[in-house]
Every structure is written in C-alpha cells, then in structure tokens.
C-alpha cells in the first residue's frame, strides 16, 4: 500500500484543500497538533514495517478481502445488483478499515489514548476494538439520542473497555458528539490522538481516512473484473460524512464508463427543512467544524437541524472530496427517504437473507429504484457498508411484521 493508492483527483493541495473545499483548522493549538499528525501520517504510509503490519491485520483480524456477492433475487427487478460485503468485516462495518490504521498510527507516534465521536456507534465499536488490540485507552463521545437508539453498540463499546461520554447539547446527535470530542481533545493533546470517524474535518483527516478506506475500492475493482468480467456500470454507496463512499469511488474515478453514485438521507422529505440530511441536494458552501464544504445551514451560517433514520448519516456537512466530485461532475448524488430505507432493509433481509445497516439501506434503496429503470445487462455495485444488528430493535419499533 502506498500513497499513490489515492487517485490524484482526491488528494489535497499543500493547504489541505480539494478545490475550494477542505483546508486546515485555524485554531492555533489544534493547527499545530494536526500539522504534526499530518506529517506523521505521510511518513508512516511510506514505512514498510507499518504497511506490512496493517496488511497482516487486514487479512487475519479484519477478514479482508470482503467478498462481492451477486444478489440474484434483487436483480430480478432489472439491472444486476452486486454487493461489496463490508458488513462481513470484523465489527460489522467498513469503519474497522480506518480504525486499524488510526490506532496503529497513534501507537507509532507515542500516544496512549484515542478520542473520537460516533453516531450509529459503528466507528466507536471499531475504534474501541482497535484500541483493545494495540493497547490504547479509548474515549468515545456519543449523542444521547443516538445512545438510546443504538444501545447494542453502546454495550459493545463498554465491553471492549471504551469510556462513553454522553452528549446532551443541541439535538444530542452526531454533530454535537464531534464538538464534544474536539473539546476533550484540546486538553489531552499531549497524550491523545483524535481519531475521526469519517472523511470529514480539517486536514489531514479527509486524506487519511480516504487512504485507509481505499482498500475497499481497490479490492472491489479487481474482484469485479476477475469474477464478472469488465467493470460495473455504477458504483453506489451511502453518504453521510462519506468514508465508505470515497473508499469505493477512489479506484473507479478514472473509469469514465463507471458512474459514481452517492446516496444521501432524504429523511421525511427534501421539502421539509430539519427533517432530512441531504447536504449535496440542499446544502450551501461554508465552514463547519474547521473545514470548508457544502453543509445544511441557517441564514447566519450556524448548522441547521438534520434528521435521518440512520444515526450514522445525520450530519449537516459532508467530506470535501465528495464536494469536489460534485463540483467537477464526476460524482452524482441521489437520496432515499426514511421509508425507502426501511423498505430496502426488509427487502434485502427477506429476499437475500442479509440484514443491512440502516445507513447501507439507503444505498440499497437507490439500487432497487435504479435497477427497475435499467435492463438486465446493466450492473450496479453497492457498497454494503455495515450490518444491521445494531438497528434491529429500532426497526421493530417502526414496523409491523
């Protein structure tokens, strides 16, 4: 693995910018700490010992490569639907990919603790797992609304030894958890590393997370060509912050015949402000939590209220690489409502025996809709970014079986 695994289109310039998006944080103390982290990251990805250890853990601990599965029942609707099974990774989602990298990096630079935010809890579980593996303390900030909704993942984090910090300010969801985690990091920078949960935030985080997630796309491209011949017509992934999507998209950016499709949460409808989190569709340019991107905002620039049935997607901003892909037309960003998400959750469960995360169900919902518009010669590759164990109780409270 080398830095060249990230397509040049989604590498930042020296100021940490992706076009007009991204950038470095202005807070003096944080700026110095993140500059040191960026230097350490760039040094370490050229370190053969580090790369070999990460590859060993990907294969023997995470369970990579994750397979591609042809969903034949879903494919009866029209286009052929294939699933990149990141739900089969250890801890049940793509998050373990960058958490292994972040934990190894923290250990290498002499930190004793990692601090992070989590929404659905998948990043929190993955980071707690990686921390237990390499011997780090782990502090996870999580909104009280998400703690109530995702209690199975809260229990997992506690069992793994993580300290859970409930965040009750604002809506008590992901955005507030990020604020709280950064505040905690400010007073622990000497001994701790902030391990962000998606390809968002100031430099070096978007590049760093995209790098560690790039394994998804590189695997998928090679697997698809070998198993099915050629390349898919579209690669599809849900987008909140955007880590699983940028990991998948990266390997296909130069393949102009392959559409890159991100699927955002339309919640209760794009016409209902505060009841969706469709940043690309409804957001405007500005600065949120130390980086420039499109985000859902009020007239005074403060982040607007957001909603999604999927806790991992209810963030008012989005990663700067995705903003750039939208600007230059290489990426296309669609959406799926809460109801479409629930429907897709049940369809995949009952027709293929795979229970997906609600986050991933947004991508499945788009694929089902899109497949019906295309003939059977077309092929859609969906990143099934996580499994739905964490969502079962919540879903059962929303539907009648």
């Amino acid at each position: 693995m080398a830095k060249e695994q990230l397509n040049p289109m989604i590498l930042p310039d020296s100021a940490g910018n992706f076009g007009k998006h991204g950038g470095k944080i202005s807070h003096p103390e944080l700026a110095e700490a993140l500059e040191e982290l960026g230097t350490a990251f760039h040094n370490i990805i050229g370190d053969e010992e580090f790369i070999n250890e990460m590859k060993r853990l990907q294969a023997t601990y995470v369970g990579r490569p994750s397979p591609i599965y042809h969903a034949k029942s879903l494919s009866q609707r029209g286009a052929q639907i294939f699933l990149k099974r990141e739900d089969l990774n250890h801890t049940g989602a793509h998050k373990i990919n960058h958490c292994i990298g972040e934990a190894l990096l923290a250990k290498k630079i002499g930190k004793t603790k990692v601090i992070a935010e989590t929404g659905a809890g998948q990043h929190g579980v993955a980071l707690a797992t990686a921390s237990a593996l390499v011997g780090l303390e782990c502090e996870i900030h999580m909104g009280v609304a998400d703690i109530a909704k995702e209690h199975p993942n809260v229990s997992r984090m506690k069992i793994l030894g993580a300290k859970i910090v409930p965040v009750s300010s604002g809506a008590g969801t992901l955005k507030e958890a990020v604020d709280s985690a950064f505040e905690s990091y400010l007073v622990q920078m000497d001994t701790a590393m902030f391990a962000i949960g998606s390809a968002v935030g100031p430099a070096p985080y978007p590049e760093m997370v995209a790098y560690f997630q790039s394994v998804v796309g590189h695997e998928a491209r090679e697997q698809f060509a070998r198993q099915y011949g050629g390349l898919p017509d579209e690669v599809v992934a849900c987008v909140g912050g955007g880590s699983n999507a940028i990991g998948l998209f990266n390997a296909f950016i130069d393949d102009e015949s392959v559409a890159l499709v991100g699927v955002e949460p339309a919640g209760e409808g794009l016409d209902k402000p505060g009841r969706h989190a469709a940043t690309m569709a409804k957001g405007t340019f500005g600065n949120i939590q130390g980086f420039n991107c499109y985000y859902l905002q009020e007239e005074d620039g403060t982040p607007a209220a957001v909603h999604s049935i999927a806790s991992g997607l209810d963030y008012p901003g989005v990663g700067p690489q995705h903003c750039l892909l939208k600007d230059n037309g290489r990426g296309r960003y669609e959406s799926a409502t809460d109801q479409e998400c629930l429907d897709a959750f049940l369809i995949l469960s009952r027709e293929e025996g795979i229970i997906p995360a609600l986050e991933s169900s947004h991508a499945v919902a788009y694929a089902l809709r899109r497949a019906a518009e295309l003939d059977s010669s077309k092929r859609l590759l969906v990143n099934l970014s996580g499994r739905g164990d964490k969502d079962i109780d919540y879903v059962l409270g929303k539907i009648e079986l």
Side-chain angles (χ1 to χ4, degrees), residues 14 24 27 30 68 85-86 98 111 116 136 163 169 252 257 270 276 287 296 307 309 341 362 387 393 400:
S14 59
K24 298 181 179 182
H27 186 289
L30 279 176
I68 289 180
R85 297 292 306 278
E86 291 296 288
H98 67 255
K111 302 300 184 181
L136 294 169
K163 175 187 176 183
S169 59
F252 295 92
S257 66
L270 296 181
H276 65 76
N287 188 281
L296 296 166
H307 160 80
I309 197 171
C341 170
H362 285 76
R387 64 174 177 245
D393 291 341
E400 292 184 13

Side-chain angles (χ1 to χ4, degrees), residues 100-266:
I100 289 289
E102 289 176 334
L104 288 175
L105 175 58
K107 193 79 172 180
K108 192 82 170 179
I109 61 177
K111 302 300 184 181
T112 60
K113 182 178 187 177
V114 286
I115 299 171
E117 83 301 335
T118 195
Q122 293 295 80
H123 173 61
V125 168
L127 190 63
T129 299
S131 298
L133 174 67
V134 304
L136 294 169
E137 293 180 63
C138 183
E139 178 180 309
I140 302 295
H141 294 244
M142 190 172 188
V144 291
D146 294 333
I147 287 175
K149 186 175 174 183
E150 305 287 3
H151 64 87
N153 273 346
V154 177
S155 299
R156 290 185 182 96
M157 286 184 272
K158 290 179 178 178
I159 288 170
L160 289 161
K163 175 187 176 183
I164 310 298
V165 179
V167 181
S168 58
S169 59
T173 55
L174 182 56
K175 185 265 177 188
E176 290 78 21
V178 175
D179 289 336
S180 177
F182 263 119
E183 289 170 8
S184 181
Y185 174 55
L186 269 171
V187 297
Q188 302 182 69
M189 289 188 294
D190 289 344
T191 57
M193 186 183 104
F194 190 95
I196 207 158
S198 193
V200 296
Y205 291 114
E207 178 188 3
M208 187 166 79
V209 172
Y211 173 85
F212 291 132
Q213 288 295 345
S214 69
V215 64
V216 179
H218 289 293
E219 275 184 11
R221 193 178 187 283
E222 185 277 329
Q223 288 169 317
F224 201 94
R226 172 169 43 83
Q227 294 172 221
Y228 304 108
L231 296 175
D233 295 285
E234 298 185 11
V235 292
V236 182
C238 65
V239 173
S243 60
N244 92 92
I246 206 65
L248 177 66
F249 292 176
N250 171 67
F252 295 92
I253 286 174
D254 291 336
D255 300 305
E256 292 295 334
S257 66
V258 181
L260 312 178
V261 184
V263 187
E264 296 189 297

